[in-house]
Amino acid sequence: TDGTEQFGEAATFQGGTTDGVGWVLETRSFAVPEGKTVASIDLSVLYRNDPTPNGVVYFDDVFVHVDNDSGALSNPGFEGDDLRSTGWKSYMGGYAVDTATSHSGGQSIKVKSGGASQWIYPSNAVEGSTMKFSGYAKSEGASSIQGGPAVMSVYVDVKYWDGSWLLGQEAEFAGGRTEGWEYAENTIPLAKDAEAIHVRAVYYGDVQGGTAWFDDFNVQIG
C-alpha cells in the first residue's frame, strides 16, 4: 500500500513433454517484507518465448494461498483513511468511517444497513481446533436484536478444504440504544480443516432504521 512493487515471483515448470507423467505441480512461496501491507496481487499464467514451434501447454487448478498463522484480522480496529487497502470491503449497504466515535484508537465504522467484511486464511484452523471471534458495538435507534428479524453481530462463515461450508455463526449484540460499547463473543469448534474464514461486521434488516458502530474485532484460533 506504500506504492512499491515486488516483481517476478514465479512457480516455474520444466517444460518438455509430460506424456506418461501427467499433470505436474509446481509451487512457490515468498514472504511479504516486514512492515509492508499488500494492496493487490497480479497473477498471470504464462507460456512464451519458446524457440520450439508448435508447443502447447495446458494449465489448470491455479491457487494462491495467503498464510496467516494466527488467524488475526488485518486492521481489527478499522483505523486509517482507506480500509479497503487493509482488507475490509463493503458488505451490502456498506459502512462509513466515523472519526468522532471509537471504542479504542481514532475511529470506528458506522453502519445503517450493511457492514464490512474481510477474508482470512489461517493455516492453524485445522480439524479439532476452536475459533473465538469477538467485537464491540454500540447502537442508537435500533431494534432489540434477540429473536430477529434485525441482525447486528460479528458474523462468520467458514469454508472447509473439502468444499463444504459452516455458515451463519454469530457473536450477537443486543441492539436497542446502548449505554457505551457492548462486547460480544462466540467460540465454535472446527470439524474439518478450514481453507478460509469470512468475517463480517453487520447490521441490517431493522425496520426502525437505527445506526450501529463497530470497533475492535478479533479472531483467535486455538
Side-chain angles (χ1 to χ4, degrees):
T1 57
D2 62 1
T4 60
E5 296 179 296
Q6 184 169 338
F7 293 107
E9 302 292 345
T12 304
F13 297 92
Q14 295 300 309
T17 299
T18 59
D19 288 347
V21 178
W23 292 90
V24 177
L25 172 68
E26 293 291 348
T27 63
R28 167 74 171 147
S29 299
F30 65 92
V32 176
E34 185 175 354
K36 299 278 190 178
T37 300
V38 176
S40 64
I41 297 173
D42 183 17
L43 178 67
S44 302
V45 179
L46 300 174
Y47 169 57
R48 63 185 180 185
N49 303 331
D50 191 341
T52 303
N54 304 319
V56 178
V57 174
Y58 302 89
F59 297 99
D60 200 1
D61 296 333
V62 178
F63 298 98
V64 174
H65 177 71
V66 180
D67 190 17
N68 180 341
D69 287 336
S70 66
L73 289 163
S74 174
N75 192 12
F78 305 102
E79 300 294 328
D81 295 331
D82 183 10
L83 299 190
R84 287 185 60 85
S85 68
T86 63
W88 289 109
K89 313 302 182 187
S90 290
Y91 178 70
M92 296 176 60
Y95 60 86
V97 171
D98 190 338
T99 58
T101 304
S102 66
H103 175 258
S104 71
Q107 62 191 44
S108 63
I109 58 169
K110 180 170 67 175
V111 177
K112 294 286 190 180
S113 180
S117 73
Q118 182 178 147
W119 285 92
I120 60 174
Y121 305 87
S123 61
N124 61 341
V126 297
E127 179 180 350
S129 63
T130 59
M131 177 174 61
K132 177 182 175 181
F133 51 99
S134 62
Y136 289 84
K138 62 180 296 186
S139 56
E140 292 182 359
S143 300
S144 176
I145 300 302
Q146 188 172 9
V151 177
M152 185 189 300
S153 67
V154 185
Y155 196 102
V156 171
D157 295 329
V158 179
K159 181 183 180 184
Y160 292 120
W161 276 106
D162 65 1
S164 62
W165 290 79
L166 176 64
L167 300 173
Q169 306 301 300
E170 293 184 82
E172 189 176 71
F173 299 101
R177 179 182 177 90
T178 59
E179 297 297 331
W181 290 87
E182 176 191 3
Y183 175 77
E185 69 173 51
N186 192 6
T187 301
I188 61 172
L190 297 176
K192 308 172 189 177
D193 293 350
E195 176 184 358
I197 298 169
H198 192 196
V199 182
R200 280 162 282 182
V202 295
Y203 169 56
Y204 62 86
D206 193 341
V207 295
Q208 291 191 190
T211 303
W213 290 262
F214 298 99
D215 204 359
D216 294 334
F217 274 33
N218 190 33
V219 174
Q220 294 177 305
I221 309 295

